[in-house]
Every structure is written in structure tokens, then in C-alpha cells.
Amino acid sequence: MLKGSLFHALGISDDLQLKTFANKTGISVSKLRYYNDSNVFPINSDLDRILINSKLTATQLRLQLGMLNNSILAEIQKNASSIYEIIGEIHESKSKEKYSKVFETSYGNMFKGNCLDLIEDIDNESVDLIFADPPFNLNKKYESGINDFKDETEYLVWTENWVSKCVYLLKEGGSFFVWNLPKWNTHIASILNKYLTFRHWISVDIKYSFPIRNRLYPSHYSLLYYVKGEKPNTFNHQRIPLEICRHCGGDIRDYGGYKDKLNTKGINLSDIWYDIPPVRHSKYKNRNSNELPLKLLERVISMASNEGDLVFDPFGGSGTTYIVSEILKRKWIGIEIGDVSTIQRRFEDIRTQKEYIYDIQQNKNVLFTDRTRKMRSKNGYWLPETLKKATNNR
Ligand SMILES: C[S@@+](CC[C@H](N)C(=O)[O-])C[C@H]1O[C@@H](n2cnc3c(N)ncnc32)[C@H](O)[C@@H]1O
């Protein structure tokens, strides 16, 4: 049985029917599969041939595929009452599956189960910050045993479901971050644009794959940052140290006469984050894949929430969001559909991670860290105080 909305619209349900349709239209099987699997609307001569052979019109095909362009949307708006009479009120299906609490801490509650079920029981407009790192649909098996299972259409339907449900949980002024591959975040952005205000597409410079032939080398993850309403309730500026040569501590850029104008509290964080190291050190690594760096969560949570605020992450994994929330004294709600023992163990050894977070905090909101300060001083590079001295001696 072949899946996908194009095949469904064309009445193609097996390989033989697909081959026959390919022969009739002169469009290769692989191209038809591409249109179907990637949810791309065919255009030009491919569209003409599909329409002739399916006896559909372009509008019918668009409606069947749910790929509405602005002209169709305008017609729907004009005819809203008649369309409503046909389809009636659509109720979101509510799930009744059970999830269960596995442990609680001073600040949080950890559940095991499907986040879609838990979301139904969280009060609307009660959450200050949502951070979500969903499965990437790469067709791989998680340590949890959960498969990254879905074809593209299924993945996007599922994505729209959890994203829109999460939106209801956010307080006015609350922030919503989604970590994903750029490809999926283009879709997630189009869902979020319907409900929230866009703030940033943050590119986090982490290499995650080998170079691919005929492609640019994929070197960043996308972190979407949206807010409910016009502006965030909380935006705590984060500053980072000046980028310097790792070996000698020298300047990487020429700051000319501007050195003394640089804020001693550090450089304003931009929307390109190049200073997030992947989790490698075994001391901090809690599972083989998909564990986000503590530094990433420390930054997001410090930036978009305050002590006592409520943080929700629907996809627990190894529990990075929950550990950081706990250490930073944010209330949190967590859930993981697979094994939660990694998260539990992580909380039993929270001390190591506290030290790491403390270290991260010591090294932000400063122009130079203690370590780079020492290196620069040893190698004769300027520091804010030496610049001042030089000016006073003039
Ligand atoms: C990309 S990982 C999250 C990693 C996490 N951010 C960390 O730093 O460890 C996604 C996780 O979501 C879990 N998951 C997938 N579908 C889920 C669902 N419907 N409800 C709850 N958890 C789910 C998977 O088992 C996987 O552990």
C-alpha cells in the first residue's frame, strides 16, 4: 500500500498503478515519488500531464493535497459561511492514553508517556517558556526504542499537532523555542507564524553530518524563537566573551580605535551561535545521540525566563532541559515516551552538572574569561584595564 497525499489524490495505491501512471504521463516513477514523499506541488509540464491523465483541475488537485495558494485562500475566505455549512465545527481529537509520573524534584515533575496526552492536562496559558527538540524524522531508532518513524506527510501532520497544542499552553508574553534541522524548521516556522510572533531564526554552528556530494556542508542547526503576543515578558540580555585566537589569546579581528568602546560585560549575543560545543566529554555525556549541550539550554533558559517561571519541554530525551531548569531554579514539566532511567540517573548526579553550569555562568557576561585574560596578559595583548592605563598616561 503506497502512502502520501499525491498518490491518494491520483488513486494510486500500489507499485503497478504507479508504474502505469508514470508510463501514461511520461513522468518517471522516481519523480512522482519525489512529489508525493516531499509534498512538493508539481508545476509546468509535469502538472499539465498529471492533470490531463487524472482528469483533475489544478484547483481540485491543490484542494486534495491541502496545498492552498493565496487565490484559493481568498476564495475560502469569501465563501466562509457556505464552507462552514458543509464541514461544520471541527473538534480537535482528544487523546485518552495514560501517562504516569516517574519522579518529582524541588522544581519539577517528570512523566513517562506521550507528550500529546500530557499536554491535554496542562493548564492553558500557564507556561512561561517552551523548549522543544523533537525527533528529526531521520529514520533512525532512538535509544528509547522509539522509531523516527514517519513519512514526510505523517511527520508534518504530527508536528502541526504538537506545535499547535503547545501554543495554547503558553502565557501571553511566553517564549517558544524549537530545535530542529533547518529543513523541518521551515515547516515549523510556517505553523508558528499563524499563532505567534517571530523573533529569531538562530543558527547554531554545529557540524552534524559528513560533507554531502553536490550539497553545501550542513553546519548549523536551526533554533526558532517565537513569542506569544507582541513582546516577550522576559528577555535577559546574554553577553559572550570576545572571540580570540585559541592558541595565543590574540585578537581575531581588528578593533582599531574601538577597543575601549567594547562593553566590559562582553559582546552582545547575535543570532549566530558559534560557541556551543557538542556534547563529547564522557563525564557529561548521558546517551549516545541527540543529547543537547548544557550550554545551549543554560543560554535559552537564562535568556527567556526568570527564577520561579515554568518551563515545559515535550521531548525529554536525556533530560537536558529539566536538569538546567532545576539548577537555574525554574519550575519544569517533563515527559519522555521511552526509557526515563537516564533522566532519573542524571538527577541523582546533579552535582557534576551544577558545577558545569556554574562554570558556564562564570564565563559569560564578561569580555574576557579568567583563562583568556591570563593568556592575553602573558602574551602582551590588550585588556580593558591596560587600555585605560595607556589613556591615563598620555
Ligand atoms: C531529539 S530527542 C530529545 C533530546 C533532548 N533534548 C536531550 O537533550 O537529551 C527526542 C526525544 O523525544 C522522545 N519522543 C518522541 N516522541 C515523543 C512523544 N510523542 N512524547 C514524548 N516523547 C517523545 C524520543 O523518545 C526522544 O528521546
Side-chain angles (χ1 to χ4, degrees):
M1 181 75 180
L2 296 176
K3 286 201 278 187
S5 36
L6 179 66
F7 291 165
H8 187 253
L10 300 175
I12 295 174
S13 58
D14 59 32
D15 285 331
L16 185 63
Q17 289 174 348
L18 177 59
K19 250 190 207 159
T20 314
F21 193 78
N23 283 339
K24 275 204 298 192
T25 54
I27 306 171
S28 67
V29 165
S30 66
K31 193 139 188 224
L32 287 168
R33 278 191 193 281
Y34 156 74
Y35 286 132
N36 182 71
D37 299 347
S38 313
N39 282 315
V40 169
F41 192 76
I43 55 169
N44 297 349
S45 61
D46 284 355
L47 177 62
D48 296 341
R49 285 186 267 174
I50 288 174
L51 296 181
I52 291 167
N53 285 284
S54 64
K55 304 207 166 52
L56 291 169
T57 68
T59 304
Q60 279 174 318
L61 187 63
R62 279 195 179 277
L63 286 168
Q64 292 229 26
L65 299 182
M67 291 189 191
L68 311 183
N69 57 13
N70 285 334
S71 322
I72 299 181
L73 281 173
E75 287 306 315
I76 290 178
Q77 283 173 302
K78 256 193 258 160
N79 295 291
S81 356
S82 347
I83 294 175
Y84 183 73
E85 264 175 41
I86 300 168
I87 60 176
E89 191 59 28
I90 298 170
H91 295 284
E92 303 283 339
S93 63
K94 295 220 168 175
S95 133
K96 294 208 170 48
E97 296 258 339
K98 273 285 135 228
Y99 54 86
S100 54
K101 183 144 143 184
V102 264
F103 65 90
E104 66 178 74
T105 64
S106 315
Y107 288 94
N109 287 294
M110 182 68 215
F111 297 91
K112 180 173 166 57
N114 189 333
C115 62
L116 291 173
D117 303 320
L118 173 68
I119 288 171
E120 302 291 346
D121 293 335
I122 300 177
D123 288 340
N124 284 342
E125 305 200 29
S126 65
V127 175
D128 298 280
L129 165 63
I130 296 176
F131 179 92
D133 169 20
F136 294 165
N137 203 32
L138 290 173
N139 228 338
K140 72 172 165 210
K141 221 174 159 69
Y142 279 87
E143 282 171 43
S144 56
I146 304 306
N147 240 330
D148 224 351
F149 41 95
K150 300 171 167 77
D151 74 21
E152 195 154 328
T153 314
E154 228 185 314
Y155 181 69
L156 291 174
V157 169
W158 174 77
T159 298
E160 172 140 34
N161 197 7
W162 72 258
V163 170
S164 51
K165 282 183 180 208
C166 279
V167 164
Y168 289 99
L169 306 184
L170 262 192
K171 281 183 189 164
E172 184 75 11
S175 299
F176 196 154
F177 288 80
V178 185
W179 174 268
N180 213 320
L181 302 177
K183 168 183 163 140
W184 296 126
N185 265 356
T186 60
H187 292 279
I188 297 178
S190 80
I191 301 167
L192 287 171
N193 284 339
K194 292 183 201 148
Y195 305 102
L196 304 178
T197 310
F198 172 82
R199 279 187 53 93
H200 294 286
W201 173 293
I202 300 165
S203 298
V204 183
D205 178 355
I206 296 180
K207 309 231 173 338
Y208 52 85
S209 105
F210 296 111
I212 306 167
R213 239 179 107 223
N214 296 329
R215 292 262 190 125
L216 298 179
Y217 188 175
S219 295
H220 83 276
Y221 282 92
S222 153
L223 179 61
L224 290 174
Y225 174 12
Y226 278 74
V227 64
K228 194 172 206 172
E230 275 179 87
K231 56 180 175 44
N233 287 339
T234 304
F235 180 70
N236 301 317
H237 271 285
Q238 303 291 299
R239 290 179 171 276
I240 56 171
L242 192 72
E243 210 188 348
I244 51 158
C245 166
R246 275 196 299 152
H247 306 291
C248 69
D251 294 351
I252 285 183
R253 295 200 185 92
D254 178 12
Y255 297 99
Y258 288 98
K259 290 189 205 87
D260 57 348
K261 308 265 175 336
L262 293 173
N263 192 323
T264 52
K265 289 195 177 133
I267 305 296
N268 245 329
L269 187 65
S270 82
D271 56 7
I272 301 183
W273 297 359
Y274 53 80
D275 60 337
I276 305 287
V279 190
R280 286 223 180 89
H281 198 297
S282 59
K283 188 169 166 194
Y284 303 111
K285 202 169 168 74
N286 295 284
R287 61 195 227 155
N288 288 329
S289 57
N290 304 113
E291 180 183 336
L292 291 180
L294 288 165
K295 187 170 180 179
L296 177 81
L297 269 304
E298 192 283 332
R299 181 168 293 168
V300 169
I301 294 173
S302 302
M303 181 165 75
S305 69
N306 290 318
E307 281 188 83
D309 280 356
L310 178 59
V311 177
F312 174 54
D313 181 338
F315 304 103
S318 65
T320 316
T321 308
Y322 316 144
I323 279 283
V324 177
S325 300
E326 183 83 17
I327 294 171
L328 299 184
K329 302 193 167 98
R330 271 61 166 174
K331 289 184 246 156
W332 57 271
I333 301 175
I335 182 148
E336 165 58 48
I337 203 166
D339 182 19
V340 288
S341 59
T342 315
I343 304 179
Q344 209 150 4
R345 252 182 282 121
R346 229 174 153 179
F347 269 89
E348 282 156 18
D349 180 30
I350 196 166
R351 245 192 42 215
T352 323
Q353 333 216 17
K354 248 188 199 158
E355 284 163 18
Y356 189 68
I357 296 280
Y358 179 72
D359 203 49
I360 291 168
Q361 295 196 316
Q362 291 301 299
N363 292 318
K364 69 177 195 180
N365 299 327
V366 289
L367 196 55
F368 298 111
T369 65
D370 285 348
R371 198 181 66 79
T372 59
R373 181 174 276 284
K374 275 187 202 136
M375 195 171 11
R376 284 178 75 85
S377 167
K378 187 172 143 222
N379 293 335
Y381 294 109
W382 64 270
L383 289 166
E385 56 272 25
T386 57
L387 288 179
K388 244 187 224 147
K389 229 189 242 165
T391 326
N392 290 343
N393 289 343
R394 253 187 235 149

